Amino acid sequence: MSLWSYANPVRFMGATRPLVPILGAVAGVCLVLGLAWGFFFTPDDYRQGSTVKIIYLHVPAALMAINAWFMMLVASLVWLVRRHHVSALAARAAAPVGLTMTLIALVTGAVWGQPMWGTWWAWDPRLTAFLILFLFYLGYIALWEAVEEPDAAADLTSVLCLVGSVFAVLSRYAVNFWNQGLHQGASLSLDAETNVADVFYYPLLVCIAGFVALFGALVLLRTRTEIRARRLHVLRLRERMADA
Amino acid sequence: MIRLVTRDLALAVRAGGGFGLGLAFFLVVTVLVPFGVGPEAAILGPIAPGILWIGALLACLLSLDRVFALDREDGALDLLATAPLPMEGIALAKAAAHWLSTGLPLSLAAAPLGVLLSLPWPGHLWLALSLLMGTPALSLIGTFGAALTVGLRRGGPLLSLLVLPLYVPTLVFGADVARRGAAGLDPATPLALLGAVTLGCLAGLPFAAAAALRVSIR
């Protein structure tokens, strides 16, 4: 019994059927709890005032935007190496979710930037890198939509995902070249000595857990839909063959 | 492989090959910029390297959808696929032909066009050098994009959407070389990084393009 046995669509569908509502419930509870805790029961920051509270949406969304691309990269590699259809469909299912997370991170960042930096947008390395990530998501989704033959589409998008990952990382460090930028450094890392203060830290962790669960639930749901759509497509083809 | 390059070059230079088209496009874009931002040298000078780089990049993009599409239409691509030359070699030869027919003339034309945009003097040389070093990467990336979209009926707009984000690192470093050169600063660091991008593309992208081509003509 290994992870690979879930590459079988029937087993995948069976295993994920109960998982989607569970993850959805976890996401709902965590988000309601974390956001309510963060918005109403934490003090204002002494410099940023109440605008600090956007961290509970901005940071988890940005985190998931990058992790979604990373998940697509792994799923694409699995498809290219082992030819499991579920993997290719999972990569396809994750893309719009990642795109939305990127958009949330960009918009919440702009909303926070207006009172804090005095501008909605600045060509700061981190912001620019996210905008480029957004464009990569758009191109990836557009390529999936454009290719009609499903296996060819999976192959081409996987190759694009691999090459795109290299160029996304390259762009991230290329734009560093301009200047250091406005965006503060990482405020959450496992190896740093000082993170954000504990009052903000714990609700933020709950929100991150909520976003992870939300992402998992949405991707599983969309993957199940893709598998069903694929089955429907095959059934239609078979019907047409029987008619002819 | 050399034969393939010379054949593609001949096809590009002859009538209807679009050889002059990219150059003319570059010229028109450059001429339009002063109409948009005003003719003052104080405004044009600082933005000239970036404008010329973007113009060259768009001119490169213009001829990309012809890289494989024509060969696909008349069946030459299928013949090439069965030839003893590996697919990676075909991708590389196509990229080389594309660079010789667009990137090289664009790099040579950029320095005179810099005069039109009142680029400060030593900037011309750095601009030409950065384009000379950077446009091979543009051709290689573009060939990869063209290989991804060759099987599609309307691949043109999609091709630009896929390729333009991939152009970011090349553009950042290339324009920075020209900008620093024009400002009299030392452009060695971005120049080295630009060379690294180009060499990295040269080493890796023919394989990716070949993988995409194999899928597209399957």
Side-chain angles (χ1 to χ4, degrees):
Chain A
M1 187 69 181
S2 75
L3 188 66
W4 297 116
S5 66
Y6 294 106
N8 178 340
V10 179
R11 297 208 53 165
F12 177 83
M13 292 297 265
T16 52
R17 186 191 312 273
L19 219 53
V20 173
I22 293 175
L23 276 175
V26 171
V29 169
C30 281
L31 282 178
V32 168
L33 191 73
L35 289 180
W37 184 2
F39 284 165
F40 301 116
F41 300 104
T42 57
D44 288 354
D45 185 79
Y46 81 100
R47 261 190 314 182
Q48 302 179 36
S50 55
T51 59
V52 71
K53 291 178 176 176
I54 210 158
I55 192 177
Y56 303 113
L57 282 173
H58 181 71
V59 171
L63 207 63
M64 289 321 292
I66 297 170
N67 286 351
W69 185 274
F70 188 66
M71 184 227 126
M72 281 156 55
L73 173 65
V74 173
S76 300
L77 272 175
V78 170
W79 160 253
L80 284 178
V81 176
R82 298 190 59 141
R83 317 296 291 179
H84 295 319
H85 284 85
V86 173
S87 174
L89 290 178
R92 176 180 191 171
V97 184
L99 181 78
T100 315
M101 295 286 181
T102 316
L103 199 60
I104 293 175
L106 283 172
V107 171
T108 53
V111 168
W112 181 85
Q114 166 58 20
M116 282 300 111
W117 295 340
T119 171
W120 296 97
W121 179 260
W123 289 98
D124 159 275
R126 282 186 189 227
L127 275 65
T128 314
F130 251 73
L131 197 59
I132 296 168
L133 184 67
F134 186 70
L135 296 179
F136 274 126
Y137 272 121
L138 280 184
Y140 180 86
I141 295 170
L143 189 62
W144 259 113
E145 297 300 323
V147 187
E148 277 163 24
E149 214 269 304
D151 275 9
D155 279 328
L156 293 177
T157 49
S158 300
V159 175
L160 177 68
C161 186
L162 297 192
V163 174
S165 307
V166 175
F167 276 88
V169 174
L170 206 58
S171 309
R172 172 72 184 85
Y173 290 98
V175 289
N176 261 349
F177 220 71
W178 292 343
N179 47 35
Q180 277 311 301
L182 286 166
H183 200 293
Q184 58 269 57
S187 44
L188 290 182
S189 23
L190 295 176
D191 55 349
E193 282 190 6
T194 53
N195 281 321
V196 288
D198 280 356
V199 260
F200 303 123
Y201 191 53
Y202 292 117
L204 182 57
L205 281 189
V206 177
C207 281
I208 290 177
F211 264 79
V212 171
L214 180 69
F215 175 75
L218 285 176
V219 169
L220 285 181
L221 190 67
R222 290 183 54 86
T223 312
R224 288 168 61 81
T225 314
E226 294 283 347
I227 291 175
R228 290 215 172 96
R230 184 69 67 87
R231 283 180 180 164
L232 197 64
H233 180 65
V234 171
L235 282 178
R236 284 219 179 104
L237 279 183
R238 211 175 280 162
E239 208 169 63
R240 210 176 299 155
M241 295 265 265
D243 284 348
Chain B
M1 202 165 145
I2 293 169
R3 268 230 181 117
L4 186 57
V5 175
T6 47
R7 166 186 167 275
D8 274 11
L9 271 182
L11 280 176
V13 173
R14 277 177 204 157
F19 170 73
L21 213 61
L23 273 177
F25 178 81
F26 190 33
L27 175 69
V28 171
V29 168
T30 313
V31 169
L32 278 183
V33 169
F35 294 122
V37 302
E40 292 88 5
I43 298 176
L44 281 177
I47 63 168
I51 296 290
L52 286 167
W53 251 92
I54 289 177
L57 189 145
L58 292 177
C60 251
L61 196 67
L62 205 61
S63 53
L64 274 182
D65 55 343
R66 311 177 62 96
V67 172
F68 293 115
L70 294 179
D71 281 354
R72 164 129 179 133
E73 271 169 29
D74 62 10
L77 197 58
D78 297 328
L79 282 181
L80 283 173
T82 54
L85 187 62
M87 214 51 132
E88 285 79 6
I90 296 171
L92 194 59
K94 286 285 184 182
H98 181 262
W99 181 70
L100 286 172
S101 62
T102 50
L104 186 60
L106 284 176
S107 317
L108 299 179
L113 287 181
V115 177
L116 282 181
L117 294 183
S118 45
L119 185 68
W121 157 240
H124 297 79
L125 294 179
W126 290 115
L127 179 69
L129 183 65
S130 67
L131 278 171
L132 216 51
M133 277 179 69
T135 42
L138 299 186
S139 288
L140 284 159
I141 296 168
T143 309
F144 166 66
L148 278 179
T149 54
V150 63
L152 308 177
R153 228 163 283 126
R154 268 176 309 208
L158 182 62
L159 179 63
S160 346
L161 179 60
L162 295 182
V163 163
L164 284 177
L166 296 177
Y167 276 172
V168 170
T170 323
L171 177 63
V172 169
F173 293 134
D176 209 48
V177 171
R179 202 177 307 123
R180 287 194 188 195
L185 302 169
D186 177 25
T189 318
L191 198 63
L193 286 166
L194 180 67
V197 169
T198 302
L199 289 176
C201 288
L202 187 64
L205 278 178
F207 294 97
L213 263 186
R214 280 196 201 99
V215 177
S216 292
I217 62 169
R218 189 161 60 196

